[in-house]
């Protein structure tokens, strides 16, 4: 089964962006790990990153048409993007919101997620493992 992993703005700077919060893995390293975890779980993982809201909306539409499960880290869009929330609403397969950090333990503005309301579930605060846990859930839901 194919799974789409979508990463939002500034996640291309993983590795150098606030490593104390987001860790030292680069986006390329995180992608490679997600692809390898997916293989172990029998999933074909496609990882994409964009700083553009419209790109993420377009990819959500592709996943909807393909009935594909999605793991999404909307990054800052989590907190205010109604465009992205509407693209995620009533997704026809599992839609798991993930965060590397735990937004609830950080700034006030990070405590609101407009995506959580339309996601199947949310996994946050476990670093790169947040993605792995999401993939495990998708694989076990399929089994
Ligand atoms: C993040 C948390 C968001 O608040 C932040 O804007 C990000 C990354 C995370 O993965 O912890 O860019 O989504």
């Amino acid at each position: 089964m194919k799974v789409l992993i979508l990463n939002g703005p500034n996640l291309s700077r993983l590795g150098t962006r606030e490593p104390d919060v987001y860790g030292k893995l680069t986006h390329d390293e995180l992608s490679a790990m997600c692809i390898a975890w997916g293989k172990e779980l029998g999933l074909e993982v496609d990882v994409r990153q964009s700083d553009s809201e419209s790109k993420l909306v377009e990819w959500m539409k592709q996943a909807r048409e393909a009935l594909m499960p999605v793991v999404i880290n909307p990054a800052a869009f989590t907190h205010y993007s109604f465009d992205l929330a509407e693209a995620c609403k009533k997704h026809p397969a599992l839609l798991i919101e993930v965060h590397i950090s735990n937004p609830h333990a950080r700034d006030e503005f990070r405590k609101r997620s407009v995506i959580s309301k339309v996601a199947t579930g949310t996994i946050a605060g476990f670093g790169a493992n947040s993605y792995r846990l999401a993939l495990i859930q998708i694989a076990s839901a399929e089994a």
Side-chain angles (χ1 to χ4, degrees), residues 2 7 10 14 17 19 29 44 50 53 56 67 85 91 96-97 105 108-109 116 133 141:
K2 289 188 178 179
N7 285 324
N10 298 307
L14 283 176
R17 175 190 178 204
E29 289 166 343
E44 193 184 320
S50 181
E53 210 171 15
L56 294 166
L67 307 177
H91 188 69
I96 305 183
E97 174 190 2
E108 252 338 280
F109 79 88
S116 293
L133 294 168

Side-chain angles (χ1 to χ4, degrees), residues 14-50:
L14 283 176
T16 54
R17 175 190 178 204
E18 298 181 80
D20 49 320
V21 177
Y22 299 117
K24 289 186 184 148
L25 283 181
T26 64
H27 189 269
D28 281 353
E29 289 166 343
L30 173 68
S31 300
M33 284 166 73
C34 288
I35 290 166
W37 287 329
K39 258 191 201 135
E40 283 168 17
L41 294 162
L43 304 172
E44 193 184 320
V45 172
D46 180 359
V47 186
R48 302 180 194 176
Q49 188 278 330
S50 181

